[in-house]
Amino acid sequence: MARMMLKSPGNAAWMRDGSVRSGRRGWASAAFLIAGTLAVALTSYSLSLKVSSERRETDRIARQNRALESELKAMDAELRVRMRLPQLQRWNDTILGMVPISASQYLANPVHLANYGKPLPGDAPALPSVQLAVRDVPIAPSLAKPLLVSAPGAPMEKGATTRPSQASLPIDPVLASAMSQAVSSQTAPDDLLRQVEMTFQGQPGNP
Amino acid sequence: MSPAALARPSIRLPGHRQMALGIARQRLAIGILLFGAFTILLGLRLGELALFDGAPRHAGVAVASPHMRADIVDRNGLTLASSFEAYALAARPRDIVGDREALVQKLALILPERDIAAIRAAVFHDGKFRYVTRRILPEQAEAIRRLGEPGLTLEREAERLYPHVGLAAHMVGYTGIDGRGEGGMERAFEERLTDPARLSEPLVLSMDARVQQALESELQSQMTLSEAEGAAGVVLDVHTGEILALASLPAFNSNSPGGLTGMPSHMNRATLGVYELGSTFKAFTIAMALDSGVVKSLDERFPTNPIHVSRFRISDIHPKPYPLSVPEVLIHSSNVGTARMAERMGAAVQKDFLKKLGFLDRAPGELLERGRTLYPAEDNWGQSAVLTVGFGHGIAVTPLHLASAYATLVNGGVRHEPTYLKVPEGAKRQATRVFSEKTSRLLNGMLRLAVMDGTGRRADAEGYRVGGKTGTAEKVLAGARGYDRRRNITTFAGAFPMDDPRYVVVTMVDDPSKGSRMAGTVAAPVFKNVVNRIAPVLGVAPDMAREPDTHAMDGLYTPRKKPVQP
């Protein structure tokens, strides 16, 4: 030890200068190393954080999916239990009373369908039927009369300002009575029908 | 104080300091080495974890609990059984803190369906562990968890739900408290249903739930009407051997099967119960006789006078005063006629045909509840056995056996092994020929005549060209020899449409006690109602204009004059 201490002053001159330089280099490299390590560590840590958060998120979504799936399954099962076949059968037996379709209700082809259009046996020979554009319901006289027939003796309602008989244009009494008769007796549709029949019978090809 | 004692602390030997320094360095070095070794160990372990241990084990989401089973669905995808997560609640009485009675009250509020005495017994009992209840809902489990009682344990387990309750209970089966299949397909396919790799893949049955429902409800209403002991039925596709419906009544609720498996409701009458199915067998004897050539022509005549063989006397119930042609033997269900045919055939031919039809084996199909048929012993298959087996006595089979054999008879003479699993569209199944096509065609015509002019008139579903045969047999006396004359097994086995058979239906009513006890009035109407309901579902359209070819039988029987409507 004593020998080393004796020796060291001899080397000090060149070592001092060198050690300062190498010390600086060492410090710089250490700083560089630390900074580098820090940078790598931070980057890796943030990456790792990100990955783990992503993983947690996928886990959460998977768990949520699983929960939804089982919920869906439960609801589906509930629906199925509610509409179970024995239950439907019970409803049918007690309330609906539906029966299986019978053989005669099946139509195998269009000819079967056409059979439904056959005239009933014992009917008169079918005339060509014509749909008239006339409303042939009976017209209530109470509606027709006040319009067309003047009734001098009838009591007038208070507040009624106009009456056909008192209209500014005088109504021909003969024409009015004829019209009222025509409308109330409903001859017109029959006449029309007869006329149409005659027209059809008169045509060539019709008997 | 002695001078020596005073002097001692101040004594410092030369080299002492160096020695202390050396020891300190040594210790330091050891410490550094230890620290370094620990660091290296940690590093190595980290490296090992990173390189060799793969992904952390908890990465996956905890999903399936144990005992989860794959779903069971019918041929159209309708769910018949499916699993749900549930919980089992257990008590560890020694770990319970706080007032036990209060805990019992709280549990009773959460579990209203559980008897409070049972809860109390579990909480107060003197052991380490006891189940309070099994299969509770997740909401209830959550409520119990919120109680925060350390002495209560919740275990995850699976709950099996059968949405259609008792529908096809015997075919689908049920699971026990531990989640294992204990009957039907649940038991037969235990491995397949619990295979973790195939949990999401449902087991597809050949059964059609609509057909099953029709069969069960019609059998049930007839059973109620005639106050019968039980009933069974089978619907079979004759071209593939698929079982579309298989009913056994009385049934049970698959969701809570309860009780022991030995209960009458748990016995599968369609595959496990064996019955002497009587006259339905006559069609086979005629087919065997025609096919083996011992009866060469349909116009051969068989007299109906009784036969005496050993101690038995074989006679017809309503004997005709004239010898019967082959079709008439079937139409009038003549015991004597079929016995004479069987006599000509002999035991060897008869046994061979019965073997090929599957009557000497256990019930076919994948179910494990398969009945063993009863037939005369090898050394006892003498003449009397041949004659009685010829008209369906002395041999006991399951309704499934009968359905399978009828399918063989009407489909052109080939036997397909019946199956409960859906056969993929267009798949070819292994088939063995039993009867010739000609025999099959002739029998189709005769079975149609047996419905139109014979004992099966009430089975005639309008427009569906039904053919079949009734069978009424007396039940075997329990615990004694001989038959019980007051108790019958009534059966109808038939197919439709007879011009090109597609489905076989077998209906059996066991011991009807109210009204008529004959198959023609008990089992035949069930057959008709079932056909009327299932034919539209199965895509068979009625056609009043079509009939199977019965020209070969023309002039060999007397057609019925007036149609009798049931």
Side-chain angles (χ1 to χ4, degrees):
Chain A
M1 195 116 182
R3 227 179 302 157
M4 271 176 72
M5 281 177 77
L6 280 174
K7 270 187 178 175
S8 61
N11 296 335
W14 65 270
M15 259 190 79
R16 200 175 301 137
D17 193 27
S19 73
V20 168
R21 237 185 294 140
S22 72
R24 259 190 214 144
R25 210 184 300 140
W27 184 86
S29 72
F32 185 70
L33 213 72
I34 289 169
T37 313
L38 260 180
V40 170
L42 278 179
T43 324
S44 312
Y45 183 63
S46 71
L47 259 178
S48 145
L49 256 186
K50 199 168 179 196
V51 167
S52 74
S53 77
E54 286 290 325
R55 191 169 288 162
R56 209 176 307 127
E57 185 65 11
T58 51
D59 267 11
R60 195 184 60 79
I61 290 173
R63 215 170 291 129
Q64 197 181 348
N65 270 352
R66 173 69 197 159
L68 286 175
E69 219 170 78
S70 84
E71 201 176 324
L72 206 67
K73 198 174 174 186
M75 285 169 124
D76 184 57
E78 179 169 348
L79 209 64
R80 286 198 183 290
V81 172
R82 284 182 192 277
M83 55 178 263
R84 61 188 186 268
L85 286 170
Q87 180 63 46
L88 295 183
Q89 175 81 41
R90 212 168 303 142
W91 281 341
N92 192 45
D93 289 349
T94 53
I95 301 161
L96 301 172
M98 288 194 283
V99 288
I101 191 165
S102 80
S104 57
Q105 288 171 299
Y106 267 89
L107 300 177
N109 50 42
V111 178
H112 277 184
L113 186 62
N115 276 351
Y116 278 89
K118 269 197 295 196
L120 292 170
D123 256 9
L127 284 172
S129 61
V130 175
Q131 180 66 52
L132 300 174
V134 173
R135 184 165 176 258
D136 51 356
V137 288
I139 294 161
S142 58
L143 275 177
K145 274 175 190 167
L147 265 173
L148 302 170
V149 181
S150 71
M156 222 179 107
E157 261 182 67
K158 265 191 184 176
T161 49
T162 53
R163 267 182 65 185
S165 55
Q166 292 175 346
S168 56
L169 201 71
I171 295 170
D172 186 358
V174 182
L175 186 66
S177 69
M179 274 174 73
S180 90
Q181 209 179 355
V183 170
S184 61
S185 66
Q186 296 173 38
T187 49
D190 284 343
D191 282 350
L192 256 174
L193 194 63
R194 205 167 298 134
Q195 216 174 358
V196 169
E197 278 173 23
M198 280 160 70
T199 321
F200 267 86
Q201 277 166 357
Q203 274 177 4
N206 266 322
Chain B
M1 197 180 275
S2 71
L6 276 172
R8 201 174 287 154
S10 63
I11 292 171
R12 298 196 78 156
L13 293 169
H16 183 97
R17 190 182 139 88
Q18 276 81 356
M19 215 169 77
L21 206 64
I23 289 169
R25 274 187 187 154
Q26 209 175 352
R27 284 179 184 165
L28 195 66
I30 290 170
I32 287 171
L33 276 179
L34 276 178
F35 184 75
F38 183 64
T39 316
I40 289 169
L41 203 72
L42 279 183
L44 284 175
R45 174 69 181 143
L46 275 176
E48 190 213 344
L49 281 179
L51 292 176
F52 307 113
D53 219 33
R57 276 183 207 130
H58 61 271
V61 184
V63 278
S65 62
H67 310 310
M68 281 301 256
R69 302 168 71 88
D71 287 3
I72 299 179
V73 298
D74 85 338
R75 63 185 302 114
N76 303 312
L78 197 71
T79 310
L80 300 171
S82 84
S83 282
F84 291 87
E85 278 183 28
Y87 294 86
L89 175 66
R92 282 178 283 108
R94 289 176 191 177
D95 297 342
I96 291 177
V97 291
D99 185 5
R100 292 188 182 199
E101 189 50 44
L103 181 66
V104 169
Q105 297 303 332
K106 279 183 203 161
L107 284 179
L109 274 181
I110 297 169
L111 307 167
E113 71 278 0
R114 185 86 177 143
D115 182 23
I116 190 161
I119 299 175
R120 189 173 288 123
V123 170
F124 279 95
H125 108 284
D126 184 31
K128 281 186 182 165
F129 183 92
R130 191 165 196 185
Y131 281 115
V132 179
T133 179
R134 308 287 292 262
R135 294 179 172 183
I136 58 172
L137 299 174
E139 296 90 76
Q140 291 174 317
E142 187 54 35
I144 290 165
R145 213 194 315 278
R146 290 225 177 104
L147 293 179
E149 175 56 60
L152 294 178
T153 310
L154 284 163
E155 279 180 16
R156 283 176 85 180
E157 62 174 16
E159 159 84 320
R160 194 74 163 157
L161 178 81
Y162 302 91
H164 296 284
V165 190
L167 187 74
H170 295 90
M171 198 207 288
V172 176
Y174 57 99
T175 53
I177 195 81
D178 57 355
R180 291 181 65 84
E182 288 191 1
M185 299 301 276
E186 293 274 26
R187 184 157 79 111
F189 286 87
E190 175 73 23
E191 258 181 47
R192 154 70 181 85
L193 290 169
T194 52
D195 182 359
R198 299 176 77 184
L199 273 188
S200 57
E201 195 185 318
L203 179 70
V204 186
L205 302 192
S206 59
M207 185 248 267
D208 188 324
R210 299 165 299 174
V211 178
Q212 178 75 27
Q213 174 59 38
L215 182 66
E216 276 189 24
S217 78
E218 292 301 335
L219 282 171
Q220 182 64 57
S221 53
Q222 182 61 273
M223 214 176 111
T224 314
L225 198 71
S226 57
E227 293 177 7
E229 188 185 307
V234 181
V235 180
L236 201 69
D237 185 323
V238 301
H239 296 301
T240 60
E242 288 173 289
I243 295 165
L244 293 179
L246 184 121
S248 169
L249 297 174
F252 56 91
N253 178 357
S254 321
N255 290 309
S256 55
L260 298 166
T261 45
M263 289 194 317
S265 64
H266 281 61
M267 205 225 358
N268 191 342
R269 289 166 195 269
T271 64
L272 195 59
V274 290
Y275 306 92
E276 282 185 271
L277 296 177
S279 306
T280 50
F281 255 69
K282 286 173 185 159
F284 301 126
T285 303
I286 295 175
M288 290 173 197
L290 287 172
D291 211 62
S292 61
V294 295
V295 172
K296 298 220 164 32
S297 144
L298 293 183
D299 55 11
E300 274 189 57
R301 298 272 165 180
F302 295 87
T304 58
N305 46 323
I307 308 174
H308 294 271
V309 51
S310 61
R311 61 193 169 88
F312 300 108
R313 178 176 176 274
I314 296 166
S315 62
D316 285 352
I317 297 166
H318 305 292
K320 296 283 167 192
Y322 53 89
L324 302 174
S325 69
V326 177
E328 277 175 321
V329 168
L330 191 72
I331 292 168
H332 302 303
S333 192
S334 165
N335 294 342
V336 179
T338 37
R340 285 187 198 281
M341 286 185 201
E343 190 180 19
R344 277 202 215 169
M345 221 163 24
V349 176
Q350 190 179 46
K351 247 191 286 186
D352 184 43
F353 270 111
L354 291 178
K355 177 83 191 155
K356 279 198 249 173
L357 284 168
F359 282 130
L360 306 188
D361 303 320
R362 275 178 179 271
E366 294 87 356
L367 283 193
L368 300 179
E369 296 88 19
R370 297 193 291 155
R372 194 194 296 274
T373 58
L374 304 175
Y375 47 88
E378 196 65 32
D379 53 356
N380 198 22
W381 205 311
Q383 197 196 12
S384 64
V386 169
L387 299 189
T388 51
V389 168
F391 58 91
H393 288 75
I395 180 163
V397 300
T398 67
L400 182 60
H401 273 109
L402 189 70
S404 167
Y406 259 82
T408 308
L409 187 65
V410 301
N411 73 0
V414 263
R415 175 175 153 81
H416 303 275
E417 187 74 4
T419 177
Y420 295 92
L421 299 181
K422 188 180 180 179
V423 174
E425 204 80 38
K428 263 244 176 272
R429 295 203 70 211
Q430 202 193 343
T432 45
R433 179 158 292 282
V434 179
F435 299 114
S436 71
E437 264 186 57
K438 188 184 166 212
T439 307
S440 172
R441 210 169 44 245
L442 285 176
L443 257 296
N444 284 352
M446 278 188 235
L447 287 169
R448 176 72 186 131
L449 293 182
V451 165
M452 288 198 297
D453 302 296
T455 48
R457 289 193 288 276
R458 284 165 202 259
D460 195 8
E462 203 186 1
Y464 291 112
R465 294 92 76 198
V466 164
K469 182 77 193 78
T470 54
T472 310
E474 285 160 3
K475 285 189 87 166
V476 177
L477 274 172
R481 283 180 75 87
Y483 293 93
D484 189 341
R485 291 196 161 276
R486 293 160 305 163
R487 299 174 71 205
N488 284 354
I489 298 268
T490 61
T491 317
F492 190 91
F496 71 96
M498 261 349 230
D499 46 324
D500 179 19
R502 286 177 61 189
Y503 300 100
V504 156
V505 181
V506 168
T507 53
M508 186 204 88
V509 180
D510 183 357
D511 191 14
S513 56
K514 194 176 175 189
S516 167
R517 294 186 290 117
M518 300 303 286
T521 43
V522 179
V526 181
F527 181 95
K528 177 184 173 174
N529 294 344
V530 169
V531 170
N532 271 334
R533 280 178 70 171
I534 68 173
V537 171
L538 295 172
V540 178
D543 193 340
M544 308 294 275
R546 288 176 72 173
E547 277 299 336
D549 182 16
T550 53
H551 287 118
M553 274 74 85
D554 282 350
L556 297 179
Y557 69 101
T558 326
R560 209 151 35 91
K561 300 238 168 49
K562 261 189 263 170
V564 177
Q565 286 303 318

mmCIF file of all heavy atoms in Angstrom, chain A residues 140-157:
data_model
loop_
_atom_site.group_PDB
_atom_site.id
_atom_site.type_symbol
_atom_site.label_atom_id
_atom_site.label_comp_id
_atom_site.label_asym_id
_atom_site.label_seq_id
_atom_site.Cartn_x
_atom_site.Cartn_y
_atom_site.Cartn_z
ATOM 1 N N ALA A 140 -136.305 6.309 -50.533
ATOM 2 C CA ALA A 140 -137.306 6.638 -49.508
ATOM 3 C C ALA A 140 -138.154 7.805 -49.986
ATOM 4 O O ALA A 140 -137.616 8.816 -50.427
ATOM 5 C CB ALA A 140 -136.581 6.972 -48.213
ATOM 6 N N PRO A 141 -139.489 7.694 -49.921
ATOM 7 C CA PRO A 141 -140.372 8.775 -50.392
ATOM 8 C C PRO A 141 -140.159 10.058 -49.603
ATOM 9 O O PRO A 141 -140.301 11.138 -50.134
ATOM 10 C CB PRO A 141 -141.771 8.222 -50.181
ATOM 11 C CG PRO A 141 -141.629 6.895 -49.521
ATOM 12 C CD PRO A 141 -140.209 6.503 -49.485
ATOM 13 N N SER A 142 -139.805 9.905 -48.358
ATOM 14 C CA SER A 142 -139.618 11.115 -47.539
ATOM 15 C C SER A 142 -138.492 11.988 -48.072
ATOM 16 O O SER A 142 -138.478 13.179 -47.857
ATOM 17 C CB SER A 142 -139.318 10.719 -46.098
ATOM 18 O OG SER A 142 -138.166 9.900 -46.095
ATOM 19 N N LEU A 143 -137.590 11.380 -48.777
ATOM 20 C CA LEU A 143 -136.508 12.166 -49.355
ATOM 21 C C LEU A 143 -136.930 12.778 -50.677
ATOM 22 O O LEU A 143 -136.558 13.886 -51.019
ATOM 23 C CB LEU A 143 -135.301 11.249 -49.608
ATOM 24 C CG LEU A 143 -134.357 11.025 -48.435
ATOM 25 C CD1 LEU A 143 -133.274 10.037 -48.819
ATOM 26 C CD2 LEU A 143 -133.766 12.341 -47.975
ATOM 27 N N ALA A 144 -137.713 11.988 -51.446
ATOM 28 C CA ALA A 144 -138.059 12.445 -52.790
ATOM 29 C C ALA A 144 -139.141 13.514 -52.772
ATOM 30 O O ALA A 144 -139.089 14.462 -53.507
ATOM 31 C CB ALA A 144 -138.502 11.246 -53.613
ATOM 32 N N LYS A 145 -140.112 13.293 -51.885
ATOM 33 C CA LYS A 145 -141.305 14.159 -51.963
ATOM 34 C C LYS A 145 -141.056 15.638 -51.704
ATOM 35 O O LYS A 145 -141.450 16.476 -52.510
ATOM 36 C CB LYS A 145 -142.401 13.611 -51.061
ATOM 37 C CG LYS A 145 -143.216 12.566 -51.801
ATOM 38 C CD LYS A 145 -144.235 11.909 -50.896
ATOM 39 C CE LYS A 145 -144.835 10.704 -51.620
ATOM 40 N NZ LYS A 145 -145.593 9.873 -50.684
ATOM 41 N N PRO A 146 -140.420 15.991 -50.651
ATOM 42 C CA PRO A 146 -140.286 17.428 -50.387
ATOM 43 C C PRO A 146 -139.587 18.169 -51.508
ATOM 44 O O PRO A 146 -139.831 19.348 -51.706
ATOM 45 C CB PRO A 146 -139.437 17.484 -49.125
ATOM 46 C CG PRO A 146 -139.513 16.134 -48.530
ATOM 47 C CD PRO A 146 -139.750 15.199 -49.640
ATOM 48 N N LEU A 147 -138.803 17.480 -52.262
ATOM 49 C CA LEU A 147 -138.084 18.154 -53.340
ATOM 50 C C LEU A 147 -138.975 18.435 -54.533
ATOM 51 O O LEU A 147 -138.917 19.490 -55.133
ATOM 52 C CB LEU A 147 -136.932 17.254 -53.800
ATOM 53 C CG LEU A 147 -135.566 17.513 -53.171
ATOM 54 C CD1 LEU A 147 -134.608 16.448 -53.597
ATOM 55 C CD2 LEU A 147 -135.057 18.896 -53.554
ATOM 56 N N LEU A 148 -139.811 17.458 -54.851
ATOM 57 C CA LEU A 148 -140.478 17.525 -56.135
ATOM 58 C C LEU A 148 -141.963 17.886 -56.050
ATOM 59 O O LEU A 148 -142.541 18.329 -57.012
ATOM 60 C CB LEU A 148 -140.334 16.177 -56.856
ATOM 61 C CG LEU A 148 -138.878 15.743 -57.074
ATOM 62 C CD1 LEU A 148 -138.812 14.325 -57.555
ATOM 63 C CD2 LEU A 148 -138.207 16.690 -58.056
ATOM 64 N N VAL A 149 -142.566 17.677 -54.882
ATOM 65 C CA VAL A 149 -144.023 17.920 -54.800
ATOM 66 C C VAL A 149 -144.272 19.131 -53.922
ATOM 67 O O VAL A 149 -143.737 19.222 -52.818
ATOM 68 C CB VAL A 149 -144.697 16.662 -54.207
ATOM 69 C CG1 VAL A 149 -146.187 16.853 -54.122
ATOM 70 C CG2 VAL A 149 -144.347 15.444 -55.019
ATOM 71 N N SER A 150 -145.051 19.994 -54.468
ATOM 72 C CA SER A 150 -145.389 21.148 -53.617
ATOM 73 C C SER A 150 -146.603 20.758 -52.786
ATOM 74 O O SER A 150 -147.555 20.161 -53.280
ATOM 75 C CB SER A 150 -145.733 22.361 -54.496
ATOM 76 O OG SER A 150 -146.965 22.151 -55.111
ATOM 77 N N ALA A 151 -146.529 21.018 -51.531
ATOM 78 C CA ALA A 151 -147.635 20.677 -50.636
ATOM 79 C C ALA A 151 -148.159 21.946 -50.001
ATOM 80 O O ALA A 151 -147.598 22.422 -49.014
ATOM 81 C CB ALA A 151 -147.157 19.702 -49.576
ATOM 82 N N PRO A 152 -149.190 22.493 -50.602
ATOM 83 C CA PRO A 152 -149.661 23.816 -50.107
ATOM 84 C C PRO A 152 -150.166 23.763 -48.671
ATOM 85 O O PRO A 152 -149.983 24.700 -47.921
ATOM 86 C CB PRO A 152 -150.788 24.183 -51.068
ATOM 87 C CG PRO A 152 -150.733 23.184 -52.189
ATOM 88 C CD PRO A 152 -150.010 21.995 -51.746
ATOM 89 N N GLY A 153 -150.773 22.621 -48.310
ATOM 90 C CA GLY A 153 -151.364 22.564 -46.972
ATOM 91 C C GLY A 153 -150.385 22.195 -45.875
ATOM 92 O O GLY A 153 -150.723 22.245 -44.712
ATOM 93 N N ALA A 154 -149.181 21.846 -46.285
ATOM 94 C CA ALA A 154 -148.226 21.352 -45.283
ATOM 95 C C ALA A 154 -147.709 22.487 -44.427
ATOM 96 O O ALA A 154 -147.493 23.582 -44.927
ATOM 97 C CB ALA A 154 -147.057 20.653 -45.970
ATOM 98 N N PRO A 155 -147.536 22.183 -43.134
ATOM 99 C CA PRO A 155 -146.998 23.251 -42.275
ATOM 100 C C PRO A 155 -145.542 23.537 -42.606
ATOM 101 O O PRO A 155 -144.786 22.632 -42.920
ATOM 102 C CB PRO A 155 -147.124 22.647 -40.867
ATOM 103 C CG PRO A 155 -147.153 21.174 -41.081
ATOM 104 C CD PRO A 155 -147.752 20.926 -42.422
ATOM 105 N N MET A 156 -145.276 24.855 -42.626
ATOM 106 C CA MET A 156 -143.902 25.231 -42.992
ATOM 107 C C MET A 156 -143.039 25.352 -41.752
ATOM 108 O O MET A 156 -143.464 25.900 -40.750
ATOM 109 C CB MET A 156 -143.937 26.574 -43.715
ATOM 110 C CG MET A 156 -143.027 26.627 -44.899
ATOM 111 S SD MET A 156 -143.179 28.223 -45.669
ATOM 112 C CE MET A 156 -141.662 28.944 -45.193
ATOM 113 N N GLU A 157 -141.880 24.835 -41.918
ATOM 114 C CA GLU A 157 -140.959 24.918 -40.774
ATOM 115 C C GLU A 157 -140.415 26.317 -40.641
ATOM 116 O O GLU A 157 -140.165 26.992 -41.628
ATOM 117 C CB GLU A 157 -139.777 23.956 -41.002
ATOM 118 C CG GLU A 157 -139.944 22.658 -40.264
ATOM 119 C CD GLU A 157 -138.743 21.771 -40.474
ATOM 120 O OE1 GLU A 157 -137.660 22.116 -39.993
ATOM 121 O OE2 GLU A 157 -138.916 20.736 -41.148
#
